[in-house]
Amino acid sequence: MTNIQHVQVDLSTALGKLQLPAPVLTASGCAGYGRELDSYFDITSIGAIVTKSIMMEPRSGRATPRMAETPSGMINSIGLQGSGIESFIEHDLAWLRKRGARTIVSIAGNNVLEFGRLARRLRGVEGVAGLEINISCPNVANRGLVFACNPGSAAEVVAEVRKHAQPGLPLLAKLSPDVTDIVEIAHSVIDAGADGLAMINTLLGMVIDPVTLRPQLGGRTGGLSGPAIRPVAVRAVYQVHAALPQVPILGMGGIRSGRDALEFLAAGASAVSVGTAIFNDPSAPLRIQNELRDELASRGFSRLRDVIGIAHQA
Amino acid sequence: MTQFRARLAGNRAVGEYRHLVFVTSADIGMVKPGHFAAVAVGGPDSAMLLRRAFSIHRVSSKANVGTTIELIVSAKGAGTRWLTSQHEGVLVDMVAPLGKPFQLPKERVPCVLVAGGYGAAPMITLAEELRSRGCRVDVVLGASTESKLYGVLDLKRISDSIVITTDDGSLGVRGRVSDVLPEVMQRADSAVVYACGPMGMLQAVSLVAASTGAIAQCAVEESMACGVGVCMTCVLPVIGDDGRTRMVRACTEGPVFRGDRVRWDAIGSVPADAVGAPPAGGH
Ligand SMILES: Cc1cc2nc3c(=O)[nH]c(=O)nc-3n(C[C@H](O)[C@H](O)[C@H](O)COP(=O)(O)OP(=O)(O)OC[C@H]3O[C@@H](n4cnc5c(N)ncnc54)[C@H](O)[C@@H]3O)c2cc1C
Ligand SMILES: Cc1cc2nc3c(=O)[nH]c(=O)nc-3n(C[C@H](O)[C@H](O)[C@H](O)COP(=O)(O)O)c2cc1C
Ligand code: FES
């Protein structure tokens, strides 16, 4: 949309061992498996596609209504609908590989062992640049408590994935903001073997239908996302980067423009994911990447890496 | 499917609806009856992030003018209120054409078109298309009240017969479209029913079609966030070719489904026999 001549800015970055030629990724669950968005922008031109979270078995997801619009955001209760890992590898990952898109596979399990089985199944499978471990799902074995809300369970999942995953494969643990001390959780998953962090997942929310006076979503509660949560996400990234400056962070939560992305980089993220904004604008990831380049250029930065964590400098 | 900006070139009242005319210089490709558009509302910094879906009423292309896209919009919530209150010249971001359109018969068979309220929006071009193929076209048009009927005159002009129903009897027969449909279908020997309107109406129409052996093509209205297939909010239980029920996306696999494939009774739930359905107790 901007007509500024694209000035030379080195947009390359890295999430630990994972080298990325460009800093904008898609957020899990907001870009399917990349195929639909390829009609709106070249999906190989962004950093990577992060897939919808994959589970072992096919899963129907929750009943409708699955979403409600909220001020500058939405809440959703999709319930991890998907056709399971085998179908994913055969159809979706095969397509992504043929298309030449860098792919980070998001995995989700009902219990610790399922995470390990997913990591093992993806061992040696071509076209997987890294794993994002979605620990923001309920632990069936522990009263449905979300793994990400307990440092012990979170670490257990990450250790299990590390044990079974292809040696050396970059692992990102995805954190939930619905915790008392996100730094504590970050420490525990890094100690358990994660190479980096993806943050933040949605915040737990609820909308009451004004007519029926009952929860509006089929799943009753849902995850809040979009620009409404951006300050929470920036705060979380800032706190974790301050405590763990060496740990790479994939930042997300309400990013809608290049300027929003710049906030996350300054707070300490090395790359960013775009989620809900895609529903508003299916070409958002590439648009935001181009806007980010212009924002950096207009501030005199010639390398994206120079702005990472700059908000922490005196 | 193309994402483009369109300029509002006309906005007038038609009963309780607004007829919106947009113009774009973009090449949006082939548009067929049943395709829809996903419109961003509230301007570039809008706090309303989700797209609104509307059936494409009509599309035409003229040299020097560009492509004209017409929508029939009912002001319901905040987004549609914004859209219907815009003035000519406003630019709106649109994605179109989306979804799977109505399937047209290969032979010249009698067809009946059933629409509820603004569900008539895609029916006029559909009637034209069917007539140009030599099909007989009968129409049943319904709404709660006269001011919520759309397309009465146009559909009268291009159909072989038309029956109008209103819940309050303000125009035509008092009652519902499904009350009069069996008789219309018997008289015309209809082989295909095309329907667009509220879910309850589509279910009733599918039942009527099933009882006569006619094929029902139903355009459903599921709540949508993106319109392009990436959010998974717009799902409903549909029986596949293999006989198994799956939660499928209305925006990419629909909005038009065969009436006998949709599990109408189970909309708003996940049937226990659906692929990947939760064990008792839920996910
Ligand atoms: C394929 C299809 C074709 C449609 N054609 C027309 C048409 O020709 N004319 C017309 O007036 N309306 C049509 N609708 C319905 C229209 O999309 C909704 O009335 C509109 O999205 C409501 O937006 P709002 O801002 O008024 O309500 P809000 O309640 O503020 O909407 C909030 C969110 O919910 C979604 N939503 C709410 N109700 C519906 C609904 N009934 N269907 C889909 N999404 C919904 C919106 O897209 C938005 O994301 C169609 C819907 C679909 C799915
Ligand atoms: C509809 C929807 C589905 C999502 N599905 C997943 C998912 O499957 N796995 C996951 O880790 N996060 C999921 N998320 C969370 C996003 O990846 C992201 O962390 C969050 O929405 C914040 O970013 P955003 O505000 O840019 O959307 C989902 C979010 C939305 C809105
Ligand atoms: S509306 Fe987003 S997947 Fe159908």
Side-chain angles (χ1 to χ4, degrees):
Chain A
M1 288 195 191
T2 41
N3 286 324
I4 308 171
Q5 270 264 283
H6 289 314
V7 192
Q8 281 303 318
V9 177
D10 177 3
L11 288 179
S12 68
T13 185
L15 290 165
K17 288 165 286 187
L18 178 59
Q19 298 293 325
L20 296 169
V24 175
L25 289 71
T26 59
S28 177
C30 301
Y33 310 109
R35 205 188 294 226
E36 290 84 2
L37 294 184
D38 207 28
S39 301
Y40 304 99
F41 68 93
D42 174 0
I43 60 164
T44 64
S45 63
I46 59 168
I49 295 288
V50 180
T51 68
K52 176 141 194 65
S53 292
I54 316 289
M55 305 189 76
M56 281 309 289
E57 304 298 332
R59 189 154 141 133
S60 66
R62 292 216 181 84
T64 55
R66 289 178 167 186
M67 64 93 176
E69 195 175 50
T70 59
S72 288
M74 68 182 288
I75 73 169
N76 86 81
S77 68
I78 308 297
L80 298 176
Q81 176 168 350
S83 42
I85 185 88
E86 295 305 330
S87 167
F88 165 73
I89 291 173
E90 188 184 345
H91 303 292
D92 308 305
L93 187 61
W95 182 85
L96 281 160
R97 192 171 58 221
K98 213 168 116 210
R99 182 66 185 84
R102 275 165 302 281
T103 304
I104 295 180
V105 179
S106 169
I107 56 171
N110 287 307
N111 50 55
V112 174
L113 293 180
E114 183 172 355
F115 279 98
R117 284 165 64 210
L118 286 159
R120 175 160 289 276
R121 181 62 188 85
L122 287 166
R123 239 181 134 120
V125 172
E126 237 181 282
V128 182
L131 299 183
E132 188 177 273
I133 313 170
N134 177 8
I135 51 176
S136 297
C137 38
N139 179 359
V140 173
N142 186 12
R143 293 176 292 122
L145 229 66
V146 173
F147 294 104
C149 295
N150 177 291
S153 323
E156 226 185 307
V157 170
V158 172
E160 181 75 6
V161 172
R162 177 50 84 202
K163 190 164 95 193
H164 292 282
Q166 170 112 3
L169 188 67
L171 303 182
L172 303 174
K174 184 157 179 186
L175 304 188
S176 163
D178 289 330
V179 294
T180 313
D181 184 0
I182 198 162
V183 172
E184 185 192 5
I185 311 275
H187 268 294
S188 69
V189 294
I190 292 299
D191 290 346
D195 300 294
L197 304 167
M199 55 198 287
I200 57 173
N201 212 314
T202 53
L203 281 84
L204 198 61
M206 182 183 278
V207 170
I208 302 281
D209 184 317
V211 177
T212 65
L213 297 183
R214 299 293 184 280
Q216 192 167 319
L217 299 193
R220 293 193 286 277
T221 59
L224 180 66
S225 64
I229 71 167
R230 198 172 65 233
V232 176
V234 172
R235 178 272 296 169
V237 169
Y238 185 94
Q239 283 180 332
V240 169
H241 185 73
L244 296 163
Q246 305 309 322
V247 172
I249 296 174
L250 173 59
M252 74 196 81
I255 296 175
R256 189 185 188 179
S257 68
R259 190 171 287 206
D260 300 341
L262 185 57
E263 266 196 70
F264 279 82
L265 297 176
S270 297
V272 295
S273 278
V274 174
T276 304
I278 294 174
F279 306 159
N280 178 255
D281 172 11
S283 44
L286 184 57
R287 170 179 59 76
I288 291 168
Q289 187 165 289
N290 289 334
E291 288 173 3
L292 175 61
R293 179 195 342 240
D294 296 341
E295 296 285 351
L296 289 167
S298 70
R299 287 165 178 78
F301 291 102
S302 59
R303 296 183 346 147
L304 177 140
R305 288 170 200 251
D306 295 337
V307 82
I308 297 171
I310 204 167
H312 296 265
Q313 290 174 13
Chain B
M1 61 296 270
T2 311
Q3 184 181 9
F4 55 92
R5 290 217 282 173
R7 185 172 48 79
L8 186 61
N11 178 351
R12 65 183 174 87
V14 183
E16 288 189 28
Y17 307 126
R18 305 294 301 189
H19 180 157
L20 303 182
V21 182
F22 293 93
V23 179
T24 181
S25 56
D27 176 9
I28 70 167
M30 179 83 138
V31 177
K32 294 181 180 169
H35 273 140
F36 71 94
V39 181
V41 294
D45 297 315
S46 176
M48 293 180 278
L49 290 172
L50 308 182
R51 287 198 175 237
R52 270 60 174 173
F54 305 100
S55 301
I56 297 177
H57 173 48
R58 192 179 280 285
V59 165
S60 56
S61 286
K62 283 193 210 83
N64 306 327
V65 179
T67 301
T68 302
I69 302 150
E70 297 170 54
L71 308 176
I72 307 301
V73 178
S74 165
K76 199 193 102 197
T80 47
R81 280 203 304 274
W82 178 86
L83 192 60
T84 51
S85 61
Q86 295 308 297
H87 297 290
E88 289 175 19
V90 163
L91 289 175
V92 168
D93 192 287
M94 254 190 223
V95 183
L98 291 166
K100 297 228 166 79
F102 289 111
Q103 282 186 20
L104 301 173
K106 297 199 173 60
E107 278 126 47
R108 298 181 175 191
V109 294
C111 299
V112 56
L113 275 46
V114 187
Y118 57 73
M123 291 303 187
I124 294 156
T125 51
L126 177 62
E128 290 168 356
E129 184 73 43
L130 291 168
R131 285 297 293 262
S132 76
R133 290 168 174 244
C135 296
R136 177 188 165 93
V137 173
D138 299 277
V139 172
V140 179
L141 205 56
S144 54
T145 187
E146 182 181 355
S147 59
K148 291 191 176 173
L149 287 163
Y150 180 79
V152 176
L153 291 179
D154 282 329
L155 286 166
K156 237 175 209 162
R157 183 173 48 76
I158 44 178
S159 62
D160 292 273
S161 83
I162 183 165
V163 180
I164 289 163
T165 69
T166 49
D167 295 352
D168 63 1
S170 51
L171 192 72
V173 180
R174 178 192 296 265
R176 298 179 168 227
V177 291
S178 47
D179 300 337
V180 301
L181 184 60
E183 198 192 307
V184 171
M185 289 182 68
Q186 200 179 18
R187 183 161 29 88
D189 198 19
S190 316
V192 188
V193 188
Y194 292 96
C196 185
M199 290 292 195
M201 184 201 102
L202 299 178
Q203 175 168 21
V205 168
S206 297
L207 281 175
V208 174
S211 71
T212 68
I215 292 171
Q217 291 264 308
C218 299
V220 305
E221 191 179 301
E222 262 299 343
S223 196
M224 293 183 177
C226 73
V228 301
V230 293
C231 73
M232 306 302 286
T233 61
C234 62
V235 300
L236 69 170
V238 175
I239 303 165
D241 290 334
D242 59 358
R244 303 198 63 193
T245 298
R246 290 180 182 78
M247 301 301 285
V248 310
R249 290 166 295 180
C251 67
T252 50
E253 277 147 276
V256 178
F257 292 100
R258 266 179 54 169
D260 58 351
R261 292 294 182 87
V262 177
R263 302 272 299 265
W264 299 105
D265 282 330
I267 285 177
S269 68
V270 176
D273 60 350
V275 173
H283 291 318

